[in-house]
Structure formats: C-alpha cells, structure tokens
Amino acid sequence: MKSKIVSLLIIGCSLNLSLFSQEIFIPRSVQKAYSNKTRSLDGKPGENYWQNKGKYDIQISINPPSRTITGVEKIIYTNNSPDTLKKLSIKLIQNHHKAESPRSRPVPDTYLTPGIKVDYYAENGAQRPWNESFWDGTDKWMELKTPLLPKQKVELTFKWNYEVSKQSGREGAIDSTTFFLGYFYPRVAVYDDYEGWDRMPHITAQEFYNDFNDYTLEVTVPKNYLVWATGDLLNPSEVLQETVVKNLEKSMTSDETMRIASFQDVLAGKITKQQETNTWKWSANHISDIACAISNHYNWDAASVVVDEKTGRRASTQAAYNEEAKDFQGMVGFIQHALGWFSTQYPGVPYPYSKMTVVRGQADMEFPMMANDNSQDDPMLTQFIAQHEIAHTWFPFYMGINETRFAFMDEGWTVFNEYFIGIDDVGKEKADTFFKEFRVQRWIDNDDFEKDLPIMIPTNNLTRNAAGDNIYGKAALSYLALRDYLGDERFKKALHGFMDRWNGKHPIPWDFFYSFNDLTGENLNWFWKKWYFDYGYIDLAIKNVQVEDEKVTIQIENKGGIPAPVDVILITKDGKEQRFHQTPEIWKSMANTASFQVTGVKDLKAIILDTGIWMDTNELNNTWELK
C-alpha cells in the first residue's frame, strides 16, 4: 500500500444537537451536595465544602511471641460539618476476624480472633459505658453525652486490646516474631457531605474510606525488635545504636542502597538500644491511615530518590525482609524507580510523602507510606507488585477516595499507571501482552451476565468476580480510552487539574466527570454515560464494505456499546498494510455505526479491525476479505 493513501475520512458521524443535552445520572444524595453547595457542577469543591478531621495520639505495646496488642489512644475529633452530631460511628475493623462476623469468603480457623476488646472509653475525660455487641460488627454507634455542635471538638479516649491473626493477610502474623499491623486502632468513621456517616461494614473484600487525620504513634517492643511505620521516626537515637542512626541518616540522601541492619546484627544485639524495651515514636499529618510492622530477624535496607525535580526534595526508600526473600534484595531499587517514575511521568505529581517502606509479608496490600508484599520467585513480578501498591499512593491516599464504594477510582487509576510504567520497564509489546492477559482477559473470557455490569454500580454491591472486572481492567481501559480520545497533553492537563482540586479531600465520580468536562472545555457526558453508566462490552464488527475504483467505504458497528478505539487495517494483495487509528470520537454521536472512506486504495485484499488492549470479545466479525 503506497504512501499516497493519506487520509481516512469519517463520514456519517456528525453530532446531533441532542448530544450536548445528554446528562449523566446523579443520585439524590449527590444532588443534595450540589444544592448545599458543598460540590459544584464544574467539578470543583463547592464554596461550602467541608470535611471532618481527627488528631490521633496512639500508644501500643507488643511482646512477641504473644500476639496480644494493647493500646491506648486519644482522639481530638473536630466537627467541621454544619450538622450537630448526637452520636459517632466508630470503626473497629479488627472485628472482621470474629467468628460470627459476616465475610465475603470462607476463612480458616487461623484467621479467626476474638476481635477488639475495648477496656476503657471516655468522652471529654469522663468514662462512658462500652457495651460489646456482635451486631456492632466493624461499626459501632456511640451516643454522645454532649452533642457535638458545628465547629466544635470532642476528646475521645480508648484503651483496647486484640490478638493478631495467625493467618497473615492484609495484616497479621507473618511468622511468630514478625507482625504487620493494619487497621489496628479504633477510629471515627467518615462523616461526609453526601452520605453522612460511612456505615458500610468491612467484610474482607472491599477496602476503605478514611478521613485525613494527624497521627502520632508510639510502638513499644522488646529490645532487638525493629519497627517500620507510616510517618517519620521522631526518636532514632533513643531506639537505635549510634552507628545505625548515622547510617539511617546517610541513607536519606543516598542514591545507593545501604544496609541499615542485617538479621545477623539484629540477633547479635548490634542494632537497637539494649534496654528491656524500646518505644519507637512516629508522626504523620494529613494522612488517611497508618500501619506498622515489627520483626527481630529482618534485614533493613534503605536509600532515597528525588521525587520533586523543582525543589530537589527526596523521599526515603526502605525495605524490610527475611533472609529467604532473595527477590527483596533489589526492593529499594524497585521503590526508587517507582517513586521517580510516578512522580515525573504518570500521574506526574511528586510523591507527597517523606518515605516509602515495603515489608516482606504475604498480602500484596498498600497502606500510606507502607506496603505489605509477598516474596516471589521472579523478581520482575516482585517489582510489578511493588509498583502497583506504590501507585496507590496517589489513588486513593492522596485523593481521599471512598474505596469501599468507588474502588474503580483507585484500582483503575493504579492499573492505568501500572501499564505505563510497564511500557518503560519492558517495552510496549510486552506491556500490552501482560496487560491483556492479566487485566483484560478475565473480562472477555465468558459471557457471564455480571461481566457487563456498569462500572458505576457501587463496589460494595458487587460480587468479588464482578468487582474484579469493573474496578481493575475495565476501569483502566476507560481511562486509557479517554486519554486516546483527548490526546496525552489535554488528558494530563485535565488529570492534574482534577488532582489539584481534590487532593486531601473526598472526590466522588461526579467530581471527576465534571472536572474533566470543565478542564477540557468539552461536554464528555456521552463518554461517561457509555463507559460508566450503561451495560456493555467491547465488540466492534465490520458491518459493510463497498469498493468503488480506488475508494473504499467501511461501515463499523459497535455491537457491544462501549466506545473503544480501533485500528482499521487495510491489506493489499501484495501483503502490505496500513493502519488508520480511530479514537472513541467515532462513537461520539451515540450512534452504533460509523462509516469511513479511504481513497487511493489499489488491489485491496482484506480489512481487519484491531482493538489492541481494548480486547474485542468477538474477533470473528473483525475481518472482511474481497471475494
């Protein structure tokens, strides 16, 4: 096919006037937010936007091999809402380990514990009764003795204990003296402007929705135990020996990986202060959660990386792992690469925290400034998993997303970013292959009814299989299709605008939709409706081909309804081919057919539709041959 074929003209796809009157569904609760001016239809936080906040001062004690955690915490909770709160909803996530708690899947006995036991509860210094009840589950109502007025604060005090689960998952006992602690403290649930109290129980499948709080955390452990946690270590010289403190400080500006502690030196008593116990103190502000890990036989590596090219700001990169996890020997380098790439490429927003630590656990699970990752035989898989969990820093942590209800807003964006760093790591061909096999294939493998549910169905109302499709591969494809339509420059400008508006807050899907409409200056409701609100799947078909002299008219049908991009490939009798890429714009008219005209075609043999990573569910109708 000669280069004189220079154009592929779109015909029959002109917009009708009704396109710009297309509206997307807005639930009544979100309509209320617009009426109250807490959110606005241009996608910005409204003039009356608010969110509540807690200041948490937590002290916990651990004495392995005992798996009992004892804790004391004080919470200063500020009611920034316009409402008077007569009661608080308290999250007790560890109660999902109780035998009688509902769960999304069966669990072995090693997963079960008695849950959280609260020994003492006080409101503004006055002790209040705490009644244990199974029906509280992971959410417990606490009536306030004094109603909390707008702009007022209440001080809550808890003393509690719980057993670390023997089975290590997102959190739990990795071995008899190595624990990863997540969701380990009572916290006040989110009270927001569109739904009020977040009362969705944790049933192991969905993830979380947290306020942005300030934390201080003290972890008391026996000597020779190391602690890693969300936040900055405030007292290294009180818990670590002098040489270790100097090495840790040096690693904060080092590009090269440094061994802060080897398991041999830990066991020999050469790392921590040799007093009976050490109390490690940590601090993190305006962050959505905290986690920590302890061990008396893990290696500890560290370095750092520049995450903000404008200011030269560095973030510490740390890894904690047992000697058997050989793949973790390169983990600090994996973290450096991920933080540097995500900060400058996609999403292209500097890593917002001072540190990232990956602990060798068993879950492959993200926390602010922490990840609990399993060891793999293939270091490339180890790197891939670490990059995925680190990418969650921006979605949901930096952006404050409700993962329980709108998981496509964090997993989908994370898979999107994971795809692009994969291209940088292994090249586009391999990244495409992996993306299709790992993220898309499961969606198109069968025609199960649940495969084609709208992305906008709240995640907590989906089965595990349906949720897996909607929030990972399908959501990532929607963002990739949007980028394909807008082009990289417009897309990234809108993405950064949305993130600037909503980081540190609680965006919902409509804030994303309307921000992109506003920031691109284009009504994209046709795109949102088809990708997010409608039932559908990807199935493009060649419906008709007309060949007249050197002019070919091709009609494509969108049988599945989803506006995916497509390459139209023309093949001549001598085997030469030429691709004409079509963005989702061809489906902008909301019609289910699009016609194209190619001129200057000689000796046409066949036409093929190639949807690439937007895998077509039925490729049998993607080919036409001249007879």
Side-chain angles (χ1 to χ4, degrees):
M1 191 169 295
K2 298 182 180 179
S3 59
K4 67 178 182 179
I5 300 177
V6 295
S7 64
L8 179 61
L9 304 175
I10 303 175
I11 61 176
C13 291
S14 58
L15 297 182
N16 56 53
L17 294 177
S18 65
L19 170 63
F20 292 101
S21 63
Q22 290 278 345
E23 295 295 338
I24 55 177
F25 175 75
I26 305 175
R28 286 171 289 170
S29 61
V30 179
Q31 292 178 34
K32 180 182 69 176
Y34 293 132
S35 297
N36 292 336
K37 297 183 179 181
T38 56
R39 298 171 194 264
S40 60
L41 287 168
D42 61 4
K44 298 175 183 176
E47 60 185 74
N48 296 330
Y49 180 80
W50 55 266
Q51 62 193 47
N52 290 350
K53 186 179 181 71
K55 185 175 181 180
Y56 288 68
D57 185 11
I58 304 171
Q59 298 93 41
I60 61 173
S61 296
I62 315 167
N63 188 22
S66 168
R67 292 181 290 108
T68 298
I69 308 295
T70 59
V72 178
E73 97 183 323
K74 181 180 291 185
I75 306 170
I76 306 296
Y77 181 73
T78 302
N79 177 21
N80 292 315
S81 82
D83 307 320
T84 295
L85 304 180
K86 297 181 179 180
K87 56 186 176 181
L88 302 178
S89 181
I90 307 298
K91 290 286 185 183
L92 303 168
I93 303 299
Q94 284 296 322
N95 277 351
H96 80 277
H97 284 286
K98 295 173 73 171
E100 61 269 37
S101 291
R103 277 176 288 273
S104 63
R105 63 183 184 272
V107 297
D109 290 344
T110 52
Y111 187 87
L112 302 178
T113 74
I116 282 186
K117 177 175 174 52
V118 174
D119 301 309
Y120 176 87
Y121 169 70
E123 175 187 325
N124 292 325
Q127 185 172 0
R128 300 288 310 283
W130 182 275
N131 297 318
E132 296 289 342
S133 169
F134 157 65
W135 296 110
D136 290 329
T138 57
D139 296 80
K140 182 176 180 63
W141 283 122
M142 289 304 299
E143 297 283 343
L144 289 170
K145 183 176 182 180
T146 303
L148 186 58
L149 300 176
K151 308 304 179 184
Q152 297 297 307
K153 300 179 181 181
V154 62
E155 180 184 289
L156 308 174
T157 303
F158 291 89
K159 294 180 181 179
W160 80 98
N161 67 80
Y162 77 96
E163 288 184 14
V164 175
S165 172
K166 290 181 181 178
Q167 185 193 65
S168 182
R170 291 173 174 174
E171 38 76 29
I174 299 168
D175 59 47
S176 63
T177 57
T178 305
F179 303 159
F180 194 100
L181 307 183
Y183 332 120
F184 59 89
Y185 58 97
R187 64 175 174 83
V188 182
V190 175
Y191 183 77
D192 63 32
D193 64 306
Y194 66 96
E195 284 288 332
W197 287 110
D198 169 34
R199 291 283 296 171
M200 284 184 283
H202 179 61
I203 58 173
T204 71
Q206 288 83 37
E207 295 178 15
F208 302 92
Y209 182 33
N210 301 328
D211 274 323
F212 286 88
N213 300 312
D214 296 339
Y215 291 93
T216 56
L217 171 66
E218 297 184 10
V219 183
T220 299
V221 290
K223 65 182 178 181
N224 299 326
Y225 273 81
L226 301 176
V227 180
W228 303 271
T230 299
D232 297 318
L233 180 59
L234 301 179
N235 64 333
S237 61
E238 293 178 11
V239 296
L240 295 169
Q241 296 181 28
E242 184 177 357
T243 300
V244 183
V245 173
K246 290 180 178 178
N247 287 339
L248 181 60
E249 183 177 354
K250 185 177 178 181
S251 75
M252 301 295 178
T253 57
S254 174
D255 292 322
E256 301 298 321
T257 300
M258 298 180 59
R259 176 57 56 90
I260 306 302
S262 67
F263 82 99
Q264 298 99 330
D265 285 344
V266 173
L267 296 177
K270 297 180 179 179
I271 301 301
T272 72
K273 288 293 182 69
Q274 294 300 291
Q275 47 212 17
E276 183 176 354
T277 62
N278 291 305
T279 298
W280 300 60
K281 300 178 182 179
W282 304 85
S283 176
N285 292 332
H286 197 60
I287 202 162
S288 59
D289 198 6
I290 55 172
C292 67
I294 70 162
S295 181
N296 68 345
H297 62 93
Y298 265 28
N299 296 309
W300 182 8
D301 295 344
S304 66
V305 63
V306 174
V307 293
D308 191 334
E309 293 181 333
K310 291 183 178 179
T311 65
R313 178 173 63 86
R314 284 179 170 265
S316 175
T317 54
Q318 301 185 27
Y321 57 97
N322 57 350
E323 189 67 10
E324 293 76 18
K326 302 301 182 184
D327 54 322
F328 267 64
Q329 292 176 2
M331 181 58 76
V332 166
F334 298 160
I335 303 170
Q336 287 176 305
H337 172 55
L339 293 189
W341 198 95
F342 291 137
S343 295
T344 57
Q345 304 302 314
Y346 267 115
V349 173
Y351 182 71
Y353 306 131
S354 60
K355 182 188 65 182
M356 181 68 207
T357 303
V358 178
V359 177
R360 192 283 188 203
Q362 298 175 6
D364 304 334
M365 186 64 192
E366 72 280 357
F367 299 81
M369 302 174 70
M370 298 278 285
N372 175 8
D373 284 1
N374 209 337
S375 177
Q376 307 293 334
D377 293 333
D378 181 0
M380 286 295 292
L381 181 57
T382 304
Q383 180 176 11
F384 167 79
I385 292 170
Q387 288 175 170
H388 178 91
E389 309 312 339
I390 291 168
H392 273 299
T393 294
W394 289 267
F395 299 93
F397 303 136
Y398 181 67
M399 296 298 290
I401 288 163
N402 184 340
E403 301 171 86
T404 315
R405 192 183 297 273
F406 305 123
F408 76 89
M409 292 185 71
D410 77 285
E411 294 293 357
W413 280 114
T414 296
V415 172
F416 173 97
N417 293 324
E418 160 201 301
Y419 170 66
F420 282 107
I421 195 173
I423 292 174
D424 188 72
D425 289 343
V426 299
K428 190 173 187 306
E429 183 177 354
K430 287 184 179 180
D432 282 0
T433 298
F434 184 80
F435 184 85
K436 288 190 286 187
E437 291 178 351
F438 187 53
R439 296 303 190 187
V440 188
Q441 191 71 51
R442 56 173 287 163
W443 177 29
I444 69 167
D445 267 346
N446 60 65
D447 53 4
D448 182 346
F449 176 81
E450 291 188 345
K451 295 287 184 180
D452 304 326
L453 297 176
I455 292 175
M456 279 300 298
I457 294 178
T459 313
N460 55 297
N461 290 324
L462 295 171
T463 65
R464 288 177 63 85
N465 285 337
D469 290 327
N470 270 9
I471 70 178
Y472 289 94
K474 195 188 301 186
L477 288 176
S478 73
Y479 302 138
L480 290 163
L482 181 62
R483 176 180 177 270
D484 189 83
Y485 169 72
L486 292 173
D488 185 73
E489 184 176 350
R490 288 181 73 203
F491 176 85
K492 186 170 278 189
K493 181 179 179 181
L495 174 60
H496 287 176
F498 166 59
M499 295 179 73
D500 286 344
R501 292 174 172 185
W502 285 99
N503 77 81
K505 301 179 178 66
H506 293 308
I508 57 178
W510 292 266
D511 301 316
F512 161 58
F513 300 147
Y514 292 136
S515 282
F516 265 67
N517 286 1
D518 178 57
L519 292 161
T520 61
E522 180 174 349
N523 189 321
L524 296 166
N525 286 354
W526 65 273
F527 185 93
W528 311 132
K529 184 177 185 301
K530 283 291 187 181
W531 264 104
Y532 297 91
F533 292 88
D534 289 356
Y535 287 83
Y537 52 95
I538 298 174
D539 182 14
L540 305 184
I542 297 177
K543 186 174 184 179
N544 188 41
V545 176
Q546 293 180 347
V547 181
E548 184 179 354
D549 296 328
E550 295 182 3
K551 180 174 66 176
V552 181
T553 302
I554 309 153
Q555 188 178 54
I556 300 177
E557 182 179 7
N558 190 342
K559 299 174 74 69
I562 287 183
V566 63
D567 283 357
V568 181
I569 307 172
L570 274 63
I571 304 174
T572 55
K573 292 177 181 178
D574 60 4
K576 295 180 180 179
E577 65 178 56
Q578 188 163 349
R579 288 177 177 257
F580 298 95
H581 182 71
Q582 297 305 297
T583 78
E585 185 174 10
I586 62 176
W587 310 116
K588 193 174 181 180
S589 68
M590 307 299 283
N592 64 357
T593 60
S595 294
F596 312 94
Q597 197 174 89
V598 186
T599 60
V601 181
K602 293 181 180 180
D603 299 324
L604 179 67
K605 178 183 179 182
I607 300 172
I608 298 174
L609 302 183
D610 181 7
T611 53
I613 57 173
W614 295 270
M615 296 176 69
D616 199 303
T617 58
N618 179 18
E619 295 184 344
L620 297 177
N621 53 25
N622 289 12
T623 301
W624 173 91
E625 292 190 24
L626 183 65
K627 298 181 180 179

